[in-house]
């Protein structure tokens, strides 16, 4: 009998992850002529059926709160963009004794871009040179000037509103017109002007004018619940469709990547993954690989890709993979503003996010801590989310008509403030495979180690002082502070006094597969290419050398676009 020699399909590039970095890489690489396959750990997304931004609470069983209000104060799928969780059944993670870390994950096409607040801030020139600026940490192997053209490309394509302000180390970009301030924002803006705190229009990836076939925002203000019109950015609606339109893109959904497999020539040749629908293990082959599963998932994949050539994990001869983990420094405070009582019912026109924010206004000045933070704020009479009226009966005496009237009087009178600051990497914050715990697919899970440094604690304390001064200057009353999530007892020693977020809670984790010029201290070169093998790249937040006071998503996309251009150039030269 004659045996058939069945040739396996080999793609030009395999991308792991469909979020900001993976989606950007898919668009650029396919439009550049390469055949691309993408592994996504969750299902495909259909905005027409999966997004619920125009569903009212009374349309849902239990008003979206779940049986016995089990989903209250969480991120319930019944009332939010689909498939984002702090905990995933069968896919746990662990924390080391004395550590507190929360890890938000999304298993669906587009990943966490379906949920993010669309805050799109460029890193500034000093952010790429932290060591040269204050002597702490490490400089990036690239400069702002090198990444700026890619910020231009991303902003021009996805649409970011904002205004030209010339704020030091908060670069202006290619902006659409910003929406007008709402009444809550005018109150805060007036107080900030009095305190000499810079307060300017926000920079959000939401369309205020039609762009590239996408409609402008219609101001339903429900961005966290998805957007059927694709007026706000998500990889699933903005990056993946043009990749598919090329005819050179294949997505494999429900594919949980296990490891990157090394071939006989010492290069990566395949990704082994679990088909979640059948439980079977499969492989997909390619000439080059772009890991973009999110900073911690990418580190997990590389650390679990052990072989005789890479006994400590793939691309980890430096020992840097999993290290240098950071999150944004977060602290919150809210104020009650009596001038907003009995506000006449009005159309609370606006996007589902802030119209104004405060970039770091003390840049270049001496402070009690290094680096800086920006302030996000919001409030007003928007539609309440699940659990929005919790505590109303404890706050207001009465029942029936009198209780309803008191709720109407006070609703919309609270403005909340959130600081987002730069964390300096420290040796006590990292992730590693747990030696004892595996997920339902048999893959070792991550174990997190976390401890804030003294600089971050001082920064959080300064945030609280600033929030208080703004609230009181604006004529409000400071409300008592409560942590967002319960803090484990053995990790609570530094939390309550500092009023600082838990690690991971701000969902800005970066830096676990850092880039650098020295192969002994970094995993990737200046093109986000592994020092150890030239056909492996990382294109999410893992390559970041530092975590500036700007939300990372815009920089993920700009860096991914730059990396993808390099891959195209290498492919043309036959170097992959």
């Amino acid at each position: 009998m004659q045996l058939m020699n069945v040739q396996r399909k080999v793609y030009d590039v395999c991308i792991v992850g469909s979020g900001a970095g993976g989606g950007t890489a898919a668009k650029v690489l396919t439009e550049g002529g390469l055949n691309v396959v993408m592994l996504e750990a969750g299902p495909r997304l259909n905005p027409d059926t999966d997004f619920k931004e125009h569903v009212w609470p009374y349309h849902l069983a239990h008003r979206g709160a779940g049986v016995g209000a089990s989903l209250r104060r969480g991120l319930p799928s019944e009332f939010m963009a689909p498939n984002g969780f702090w905990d995933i059944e069968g896919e746990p993670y662990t924390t080391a004794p004395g550590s507190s870390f929360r890890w938000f994950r999304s298993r669906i096409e587009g990943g966490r871009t379906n949920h993010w607040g669309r805050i799109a801030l460029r890193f500034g020139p000093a952010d790429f040179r932290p060591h040269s600026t204050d002597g702490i940490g490490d400089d990036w192997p690239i400069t702002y000037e090198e990444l700026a053209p890619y910020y231009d490309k991303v902003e021009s394509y996805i649409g970011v509103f904002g205004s030209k302000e010339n704020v030091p180390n908060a670069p202006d970009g290619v902006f659409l017109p910003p929406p007008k301030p709402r009444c809550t924002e005018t109150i805060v803006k007036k107080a900030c002007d009095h305190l000499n705190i810079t307060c300017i229009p926000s920079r959000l990836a939401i369309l205020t004018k039609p762009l590239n076939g996408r409609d402008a925002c219609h101001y339903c203000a429900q961005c966290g619940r998805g957007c059927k019109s694709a007026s706000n950015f998500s990889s699933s609606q903005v990056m993946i469709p043009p990749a598919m339109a090329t005819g050179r893109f294949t997505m494999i959904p429900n594919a949980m990547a296990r490891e990157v497999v090394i071939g006989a020539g010492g290069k990566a040749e395949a990704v082994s993954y679990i088909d979640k629908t059948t439980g079977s293990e499969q492989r997909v082959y390619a000439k080059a690989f772009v890991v973009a599963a999110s900073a911690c998932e990418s580190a997990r994949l590389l650390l679990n890709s052990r072989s005789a050539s890479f006994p400590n994990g793939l691309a980890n001869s430096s020992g840097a993979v999993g290290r240098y983990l950071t999150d944004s420094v977060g602290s919150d405070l809210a104020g009650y503003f009596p001038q907003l009582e009995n506000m006449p019912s009005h159309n609370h026109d606006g996007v589902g996010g802030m119209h104004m924010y405060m970039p770091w206004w003390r840049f270049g000045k001496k402070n009690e801590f290094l680096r800086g933070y920006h302030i996000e704020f919001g409030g007003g009479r928007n539609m309440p989310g699940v659990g929005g009226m919790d505590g109303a009966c404890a706050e207001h005496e009465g029942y029936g008509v009198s209780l309803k009237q008191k709720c109407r009087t006070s609703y919309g009178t609270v403005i909340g403030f959130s600081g987002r600051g730069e964390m300096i990497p420290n040796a006590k914050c990292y992730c590693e495979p747990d030696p004892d715990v595996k997920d339902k697919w048999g893959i070792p899970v991550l174990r997190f180690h976390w401890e804030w440094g003294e600089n971050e604690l001082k920064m959080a304390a300064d945030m609280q002082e600033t929030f208080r001064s703004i609230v009181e200057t604006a004529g409000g009353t400071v409300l008592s502070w409560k942590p967002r999530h319960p803090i484990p007892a053995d990790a609570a020693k530094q939390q309550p006094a500092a009023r600082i977020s838990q690690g991971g809670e701000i969902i800005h984790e970066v830096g676990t597969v850092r880039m650098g010029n020295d192969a002994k201290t970094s995993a990737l070169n200046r093109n986000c290419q592994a020092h150890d093998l030239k056909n492996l790249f990382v294109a999410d937040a893992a390559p970041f050398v530092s975590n500036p006071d700007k939300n990372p998503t815009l920089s993920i996309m700009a860096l991914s676009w730059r990396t993808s251009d390099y891959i195209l150039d290498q492919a043309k030269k036959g170097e992959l």
Side-chain angles (χ1 to χ4, degrees), residues 173-188:
V174 180
F175 292 138
L176 298 172
K180 295 179 179 179
R182 294 165 287 208
C183 61
T184 50
E185 286 139 353
T186 59
I187 290 173
V188 173

Side-chain angles (χ1 to χ4, degrees), residues 303-349:
L303 289 168
N304 283 329
S305 299
R306 300 173 186 264
S307 64
S309 301
F310 300 98
N312 297 318
L314 191 60
N316 194 30
S317 63
S318 63
V321 177
R323 301 284 166 168
Y324 307 103
L325 172 64
T326 62
D327 186 26
S328 291
V329 179
S331 192
D332 305 304
L333 195 69
Y336 178 80
F337 294 84
Q339 61 266 51
L340 294 174
E341 288 185 2
N342 295 309
M343 179 67 66
S345 297
H346 63 283
N347 189 348
H348 193 76
D349 276 352

Side-chain angles (χ1 to χ4, degrees), residues 284-446:
V284 62
Y285 294 84
K287 298 175 184 176
F289 298 83
V290 176
V291 178
S294 82
C296 295
E297 285 284 10
S298 291
R300 179 190 180 200
L301 176 61
L302 296 180
L303 289 168
N304 283 329
S305 299
R306 300 173 186 264
S307 64
S309 301
F310 300 98
N312 297 318
L314 191 60
N316 194 30
S317 63
S318 63
V321 177
R323 301 284 166 168
Y324 307 103
L325 172 64
T326 62
D327 186 26
S328 291
V329 179
S331 192
D332 305 304
L333 195 69
Y336 178 80
F337 294 84
Q339 61 266 51
L340 294 174
E341 288 185 2
N342 295 309
M343 179 67 66
S345 297
H346 63 283
N347 189 348
H348 193 76
D349 276 352
V351 303
M354 58 190 190
H355 286 194
M356 303 194 79
Y357 88 114
M358 290 80 107
W360 182 230
W361 65 99
R362 303 203 303 258
F363 176 77
K365 299 180 181 179
K366 185 174 178 57
N367 302 288
E368 293 186 1
F369 51 89
L370 298 176
R371 317 293 166 81
Y373 59 89
H374 75 258
I375 301 174
E376 304 167 9
F377 68 97
R381 299 174 64 87
N382 53 342
M383 186 167 74
V386 174
M389 294 297 179
D390 278 5
C393 291
E395 182 181 353
H396 304 294
E397 290 188 15
Y399 61 92
V401 174
S402 63
L403 176 60
K404 290 179 181 179
Q405 186 56 48
K406 289 175 182 177
C407 288
R408 291 192 181 100
T409 297
S410 63
Y411 190 69
T413 58
V414 174
I415 301 176
F417 298 83
S418 297
R420 298 290 181 261
E422 178 165 359
M423 175 187 177
I424 298 174
N426 70 68
K428 296 181 179 180
C429 294
Y430 62 96
C431 58
E432 62 182 350
D434 191 299
D436 303 314
V437 182
K438 296 182 179 180
D439 65 14
K440 64 191 295 185
W441 317 110
I443 305 171
V445 308
L446 283 183

